[in-house]
Amino acid sequence: MKILLIGGTGTISSAITRQLAESGHDLWLLNRGNRKAEVPASVKQVICDINDEPAVLQKIGDTRFDAVCEFIGFLPSQVERDIRLFRDRTSQYIYISSASAYNKPAASHIITEGTALANPYWQYSRDKIACEELLMREYREKGFPVTIVRPSHTYCERGVPVSVHGPKGSWQVLKRMMEGKPVIVHGDGSSLWTLTWNEDFARGFIGLIGNPKAIGEAFQIMSDEQLTWNQIYAAAAQALGATFRPYYVSSAYLAEISPKEYDLLGNLIGDKAVSVMFDCTKLKRAVPGFQATTRFDEGVRRCVSYLLSHPELQVEDPEFDAWCDRVIATLEQTKSSFKG
């Protein structure tokens, strides 16, 4: 198949790029070329700003694709742009939305594609919902061949997933572990979460490309493994050869006192603080045989090994580190004042 990925080098899409290239598809990537050295040699690269519509049209001409997959569309205006560009150039348009779009808190902790979409805490999620609604309206009224995919927390070797971190990523949390310092964990660490290795996600996603059962439908793609945040942090610490020293802090308190750039209101109250279990029965019916096979303890070991051998990814965040110390010191002082 002739497939165009808008993006194609991110956490989720890089695995899809590799697997499609290995399978011999006629694969095109449209992006700014910031990580072009990592793209397989067989892939055609269209180096362009997707927002520059005349430039995009000049580069792709009247090429028609079996599927166009959008990984970097976050706003309705970007989706409207894609509809203009690809309405007559693709048989399928696959849009990456987000499982954070599901209602918080949901009526049931078991999440299916039919769970209501509403997130009053996170603008990112509300924008994704607006994109989905626009696309489904185009499908219903004009036959635009959309498929919506909702990932949850998908990770790769370039970073260890944690729930509380600063704007520079999770390395500082790992550094605190290696230094024997306590790490802030929201709540009491017992809420359930799902983490999906990107290579597993890619297999489910690729099964939807060119799949007639996928047109006009939404699918969530996740692992079946549910973990508490205590288990997630403990597995990361074990992979580092460090001791997990949790310092539990209320999610609501963290959201209230954190700097705006940490976005903990959205990330915690609107997402990670809520226990959820995802039912992927719909995906497995459309893609028979799909199964995520990478346990988190295996995946996090790969992450740690990769990070420790790539110093350029070890981005320190001293401001976040100092903020953690202040939060812990303040709460410890409060505890002491009550002990008299």
Side-chain angles (χ1 to χ4, degrees), residues 310-330:
H310 288 77
E312 72 278 8
L313 298 177
Q314 300 170 20
V315 181
E316 297 190 13
D317 192 343
E319 291 81 10
F320 171 74
D321 194 52
W323 178 80
C324 290
D325 290 338
R326 288 199 306 274
V327 171
I328 293 170
T330 298

Side-chain angles (χ1 to χ4, degrees), residues 30 32 48-56 77-78 81 84-85:
L30 195 163
R32 296 183 180 182
C48 186
D49 181 349
I50 183 62
N51 294 304
D52 187 346
E53 293 182 44
V56 172
S77 60
Q78 295 168 329
R81 172 208 63 208
R84 288 193 298 270
L85 285 169

Side-chain angles (χ1 to χ4, degrees), residues 6 13 19 34 40 45 66 96 153 159 205 216 250-251 277 310 329:
I6 303 172
S13 58
Q19 291 183 23
N34 295 329
Q45 298 192 65
D66 295 298
I96 290 285
H153 199 154
F205 184 93
S250 156
S251 298
M277 296 175 63
H310 288 77

Side-chain angles (χ1 to χ4, degrees), residues 8-312:
T9 59
T11 297
I12 291 177
S13 58
S14 59
I16 296 168
T17 293
R18 288 192 297 270
Q19 291 183 23
L20 287 173
E22 290 168 0
S23 299
H25 291 284
D26 183 5
L27 181 61
W28 299 42
L29 301 191
L30 195 163
N31 56 44
R32 296 183 180 182
N34 295 329
R35 295 174 65 181
K36 61 182 179 181
E38 301 175 22
V39 176
S42 62
V43 176
K44 298 179 179 67
Q45 298 192 65
V46 180
I47 308 302
C48 186
D49 181 349
I50 183 62
N51 294 304
D52 187 346
E53 293 182 44
V56 172
L57 292 174
Q58 182 180 23
K59 287 180 178 288
I60 67 173
D62 57 0
T63 304
R64 182 173 178 82
F65 299 95
D66 295 298
V68 171
C69 309
E70 172 61 271
F71 294 92
I72 54 174
F74 304 101
L75 300 171
S77 60
Q78 295 168 329
V79 168
E80 290 171 343
R81 172 208 63 208
D82 287 355
I83 293 170
R84 288 193 298 270
L85 285 169
F86 301 110
R87 180 185 297 281
D88 299 319
R89 289 182 170 84
T90 188
S91 300
Q92 184 183 27
Y93 174 88
I94 305 181
Y95 176 70
I96 290 285
S97 183
S98 170
S100 69
Y102 291 122
N103 190 34
K104 300 295 184 301
S108 170
H109 67 285
I110 299 176
I111 304 297
T112 72
E113 287 83 356
T115 298
L117 303 182
N119 192 325
Y121 305 104
W122 207 357
Q123 186 62 47
Y124 163 81
S125 304
R126 293 195 294 275
D127 289 337
K128 287 289 190 181
I129 293 169
C131 289
E132 286 198 30
E133 291 174 343
L134 189 159
L135 286 164
M136 291 308 296
R137 186 166 59 250
E138 284 292 316
Y139 167 71
R140 290 191 300 268
E141 297 177 2
K142 300 179 183 179
F144 188 66
V146 63
T147 298
I148 291 169
V149 172
R150 299 179 190 135
S152 183
H153 199 154
T154 307
Y155 69 107
C156 70
E157 71 278 359
R158 298 176 67 89
V160 172
V162 298
S163 64
V164 180
H165 60 81
K168 297 181 180 179
S170 64
W171 174 254
Q172 193 65 46
V173 178
L174 306 187
K175 189 170 185 288
R176 288 180 70 88
M177 287 183 178
M178 291 186 287
E179 292 173 348
K181 298 175 73 173
V183 295
I184 292 176
V185 178
H186 69 276
D188 63 0
S190 65
S191 59
L192 292 171
W193 197 240
T194 298
L195 295 163
T196 307
W197 184 247
N198 69 340
E199 296 285 350
D200 289 336
F201 179 92
R203 290 193 297 275
F205 184 93
I206 290 171
L208 295 174
I209 298 177
N211 189 331
K213 296 179 181 179
I215 303 299
E217 298 289 340
F219 297 87
Q220 53 192 26
I221 304 177
M222 296 91 176
S223 169
D224 291 324
E225 180 183 39
Q226 286 89 40
L227 299 164
T228 67
W229 280 103
N230 283 327
Q231 291 172 319
I232 292 167
Y233 276 86
Q238 184 174 22
L240 288 164
T243 299
F244 173 41
R245 296 182 59 202
Y247 194 90
Y248 300 117
V249 184
S250 156
S251 298
Y253 182 79
L254 288 170
E256 184 70 26
I257 67 168
S258 62
K260 185 177 181 180
E261 60 268 26
Y262 294 9
D263 199 12
L264 292 185
L265 178 63
N267 270 298
L268 291 182
I269 310 302
D271 200 29
K272 298 177 179 65
V274 182
S275 282
V276 293
M277 296 175 63
F278 295 100
D279 181 347
C280 291
T281 299
K282 183 177 180 180
L283 174 72
K284 292 175 182 178
R285 286 174 178 162
V287 186
F290 169 75
Q291 185 71 43
T293 59
T294 306
R295 294 197 319 263
F296 180 68
D297 62 300
E298 299 168 348
V300 76
R301 284 197 296 270
R302 298 179 198 173
C303 293
V304 167
S305 177
Y306 190 87
L307 288 170
L308 293 179
S309 62
H310 288 77
E312 72 278 8

